């Protein structure tokens, strides 16, 4: 079946450093989404990427969808303590298929 | 956006008992999803609940253990039956917002279940 993997599993950074998490799917995806879950909270949608090679930015966050639509990355520039949480990628094989979540990358930011 | 509420927010249950979790959405949605998230883990889809038909279960989950009801387009319940400590987890209700092609998943606050 379809699998979505993420690396790293954990990342500890000093405040102000950059952070990147990578997501890889075993199959080609129709779209990929990114979610953030704060400690004790529920996942919150960040963004969706649909096109091959697509790059989207949200302030300090940059999201990229690979050319083959099988991998994606999230890069945070100059991390802040408010960035703490677990970042999940989630993919669909088709627009109306179920969402498969990656294992997540847990980000800790040291002030 | 969709606003989702869940009841109860948390519960502590004895082994062998059952718990029914309720999910209420503030708008009509075709499909509702039930996920499980074990401590420190990712989200695992249990089943998709469609109004007017039986729920569709993912591999490893069966109707006898996790019966689901979907009486209307804004409400669903998930029952965790004959509970064991391995069922201790957070159970999340979710819907998809397909407005303008967004395909965004909204999640309820979750139900934190502890089985003793």
């Amino acid at each position: 079946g379809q699998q979505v993997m993420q690396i790293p599993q954990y990342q500890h950074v000093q405040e102000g450093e950059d952070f990147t998490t990578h997501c890889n799917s075993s199959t080609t995806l129709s779209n990929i989404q990114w979610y953030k879950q704060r400690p004790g909270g529920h996942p919150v949608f960040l963004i969706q990427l649909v096109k091959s090679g697509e790059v989207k930015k949200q302030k300090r966050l940059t999201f990229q969808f690979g050319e083959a639509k099988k991998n994606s990355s999230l890069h945070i520039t100059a991390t802040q303590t408010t960035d703490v949480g677990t970042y999940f990628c989630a993919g669909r094989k088709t627009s109306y298929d179920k969402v498969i979540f990656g294992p997540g990358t847990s980000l800790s930011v040291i002030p | 956006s969709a606003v989702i509420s869940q009841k109860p927010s948390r519960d502590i249950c004895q082994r062998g008992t059952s718990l029914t979790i309720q999910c209420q959405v503030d708008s009509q949605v075709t499909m509702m999803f039930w996920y499980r998230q074990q401590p420190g883990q990712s989200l695992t889809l249990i089943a998709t609940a469609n109004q007017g038909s039986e729920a569709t279960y993912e591999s490893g989950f069966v109707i006898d253990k996790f019966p689901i009801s979907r009486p209307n387009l804004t409400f669903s319940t998930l029952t965790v039956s004959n509970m064991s400590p391995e069922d201790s987890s957070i159970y999340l209700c979710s819907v998809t917002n397909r407005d303008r092609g967004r395909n965004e998943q909204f999640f309820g606050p979750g139900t934190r279940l502890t089985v003793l």
Side-chain angles (χ1 to χ4, degrees):
Chain A
Q2 179 187 356
Q3 289 188 335
V4 178
M5 296 148 283
Q6 272 183 266
I7 54 169
Q9 185 177 2
Y10 301 99
Q11 185 82 59
H12 306 276
V13 300
Q14 204 73 36
E15 188 172 17
E17 291 182 341
D18 292 354
F19 159 77
T20 302
T21 173
H22 299 273
C23 178
N24 290 285
S25 169
S26 58
T27 59
T28 301
L29 300 170
S30 169
N31 59 65
I32 197 156
Q33 301 174 348
W34 285 92
Y35 293 81
K36 177 182 179 181
Q37 185 174 26
R38 294 180 185 272
H42 59 273
V44 174
F45 175 85
L46 293 177
I47 207 159
Q48 175 175 272
L49 304 171
V50 178
K51 299 177 184 175
S52 168
E54 188 171 14
V55 178
K56 286 188 177 180
K57 292 192 175 186
Q58 288 180 351
K59 298 182 180 178
R60 293 179 295 104
L61 278 61
T62 302
F63 305 85
Q64 189 165 5
F65 201 7
E67 294 290 339
K69 300 184 74 173
K70 294 178 73 172
N71 61 286
S72 180
S73 65
L74 158 60
H75 179 82
I76 302 178
T77 304
T79 54
Q80 300 174 359
T81 54
T82 53
D83 295 325
V84 166
T86 301
Y87 293 85
F88 293 99
C89 64
R92 281 192 172 94
K93 285 197 291 186
T94 69
S95 294
Y96 285 84
D97 207 349
K98 61 192 177 191
V99 176
I100 303 297
F101 280 80
T105 297
S106 178
L107 172 63
S108 300
V109 179
I110 305 163
Chain B
S1 64
V3 177
I4 304 172
S5 60
Q6 282 185 238
K7 290 182 185 178
S9 58
R10 58 178 63 225
D11 207 342
I12 301 173
C13 302
Q14 294 296 322
R15 179 195 298 261
T17 63
S18 298
L19 175 72
T20 295
I21 303 168
Q22 299 179 7
C23 176
Q24 180 76 51
V25 187
D26 69 341
S27 57
Q28 294 185 340
V29 292
T30 304
M31 292 191 288
M32 295 174 76
F33 304 88
W34 286 98
Y35 286 85
R36 182 172 74 183
Q37 186 175 30
Q38 294 179 313
Q41 302 296 313
S42 185
L43 293 93
T44 301
L45 182 63
I46 298 171
T48 302
N50 303 306
Q51 195 266 338
S53 64
E54 276 197 6
T56 304
Y57 289 83
E58 297 301 308
S59 175
F61 298 96
V62 294
I63 188 171
D64 289 347
K65 175 68 176 177
F66 296 101
I68 287 172
S69 80
R70 184 79 200 274
N72 59 53
L73 292 175
T74 64
F75 186 79
S76 177
T77 66
L78 169 76
T79 299
V80 187
S81 304
N82 188 25
M83 288 184 283
S84 66
E86 292 72 35
D87 294 320
S88 297
S89 188
I90 298 173
Y91 292 85
L92 296 134
C93 172
S94 177
V95 303
T96 302
N97 171 25
R98 300 194 187 280
D99 290 349
R100 293 181 288 247
R102 285 173 64 88
N103 280 329
E104 172 182 348
Q105 290 292 119
F106 287 96
F107 288 88
T111 296
R112 185 179 295 270
L113 171 63
T114 303
V115 184
L116 303 177

